Amino acid sequence: MSQSGTSAPRAGSVKQITSHSNPLVKEIKGLIAQRKHRTQSGLFVAEGLKLATDAMGAGWTVRYLVLGPEAKDNPVAQKAAATAKARGAMILEVNTAILSAMTRKDNPQMVVGVYEQQTVPLSSVTAAGATVWIALDRVRDPGNLGTIIRTADAAGASGVILVGDCTDPFAVETVRATMGSLFHVPLVKCSQEAFLAFARNWPGTVVGTHLEGSVDYRAATYPEPVLLTMGNEQHGLGPDIAAACRTLIRIPQAGQADSLNLAVATGIALYEIRRPHLEL
Ligand code: SAM
């Protein structure tokens, strides 16, 4: 996976922070609040001990691990801090007021991590060994994206491709919604143009989900590897991407809803495609 980020700060140290105006407090606040800061630094924030354990277990680079007072008596948090420090991270010990202000939460998690972003270049995505990659056309909602990444992980998809102007996968709401799956699912970002060229050369089936699709998703066949494309929440699948699909499938609906939520539709289609590979 490619990595990006600013040059590392003094590594492997422990620092106590007691002032709200400490530059590191401001930096972490900026990473939480603004995409611009995340893009410029190549860093992002994930809240919680579980995510810290997931991230380090999956080999992601942790820059800072912020520990609130409760972490002192928590053996799992202490172990995470020792691992992070051994890998060169800076451990920041803060009080609850600073943790609250940093995360803008009344009841903050006792551990907050700052990690280096990781994405995979489109050129390195191969069909070899894959059953299904998911492509999201201009996904805008952080909760939808996080839920899709989590579902991709659960269903065993090979990864998620973000096509065009998508919401930031490293926004704190997205990361939270992935419940740690962000650290296990390869992510690609690309333009629509690059994606169309990629889809043209895809050796398997390119499937689109579309409200005007004529094929019931349960009746379609899915020769592997599958490239499953999902449309934007407001506008659906763009016409050029729809035209690149071999099949446009539809999920039947009975009630008055215009459409299904994007993440729900992704889950339904994905589980159908992965059906032969999944068992209890
Ligand atoms: N107004 C949009 C439209 O006209 O397509 C609705 C988009 S829907 C909220 C977001 C995406 O979820 C769709 O582009 C499609 O990929 C998928 N989707 C939602 N409901 C679907 C259904 N019943 N059948 C197939 N795909 C569906």
Side-chain angles (χ1 to χ4, degrees):
M1 286 192 186
S2 70
Q3 300 189 2
S4 56
T6 52
S7 59
R10 252 180 43 229
S13 53
V14 179
K15 190 176 170 72
Q16 272 153 8
I17 297 182
T18 51
S19 162
H20 285 259
S21 55
N22 185 291
L24 288 172
V25 174
K26 289 188 178 167
E27 183 182 343
I28 294 170
K29 273 184 177 174
L31 289 173
I32 291 176
Q34 288 188 298
R35 183 173 192 166
K36 183 180 75 179
H37 285 299
R38 294 190 292 274
T39 304
Q40 282 168 357
S41 63
L43 301 175
F44 70 103
V45 172
E47 300 162 323
L49 182 52
K50 179 194 178 297
L51 268 63
T53 310
D54 278 348
M56 287 189 280
W60 286 53
T61 303
V62 52
R63 277 295 180 84
Y64 307 114
L65 203 65
V66 186
L67 303 182
E70 288 166 32
K72 271 203 182 70
D73 301 322
N74 184 306
V76 183
Q78 288 304 314
K79 192 170 170 224
T83 305
K85 186 162 171 265
R87 294 189 192 175
M90 186 184 274
I91 310 302
L92 307 177
E93 294 177 347
V94 301
N95 59 36
T96 306
I98 291 184
L99 203 51
S100 266
M102 209 181 240
T103 56
R104 297 210 182 125
K105 280 200 173 148
D106 290 339
N107 293 307
Q109 303 256 7
M110 73 171 121
V111 173
V112 172
V114 177
Y115 306 90
E116 292 184 6
Q117 298 182 14
Q118 290 188 23
T119 55
V120 173
L122 186 63
S123 56
S124 77
V125 174
T126 69
T131 56
V132 54
W133 273 84
I134 303 164
L136 303 175
D137 177 17
R138 298 161 295 153
V139 56
R140 299 304 305 158
D141 184 85
N144 277 345
L145 177 55
T147 305
I148 291 169
I149 292 170
R150 181 180 178 183
T151 310
D153 185 17
S158 299
V160 175
I161 303 173
L162 301 173
V163 184
D165 184 17
C166 289
T167 191
D168 182 5
F170 298 108
V172 98
E173 305 84 356
T174 312
V175 173
R176 193 181 299 137
T178 73
M179 297 289 288
S181 291
L182 175 79
F183 300 113
H184 306 295
V185 175
L187 280 184
V188 176
K189 293 195 219 175
C190 66
S191 66
Q192 171 170 298
E193 220 180 11
F195 177 73
L196 289 172
F198 173 81
R200 266 195 298 277
N201 292 318
W202 184 254
T205 321
V206 184
V207 175
T209 52
H210 206 291
L211 298 185
E212 287 168 22
S214 53
V215 182
D216 185 319
Y217 80 105
R218 296 163 299 185
T221 56
Y222 301 101
E224 293 172 355
V226 178
L227 187 53
L228 171 66
T229 63
M230 305 297 306
N232 165 271
E233 290 93 338
Q234 209 185 341
H235 305 293
L237 207 52
D240 291 344
I241 297 184
C245 297
R246 187 200 74 164
T247 315
L248 291 181
I249 57 168
R250 182 149 53 101
I251 303 164
Q253 296 180 207
Q256 300 304 307
D258 290 338
S259 62
L260 291 161
N261 163 274
L262 168 62
V264 170
T266 307
I268 292 171
L270 183 60
Y271 265 86
E272 185 65 19
I273 292 166
R274 287 282 300 160
R275 184 199 287 263
H277 301 282
L278 296 171
E279 57 184 39
L280 285 181

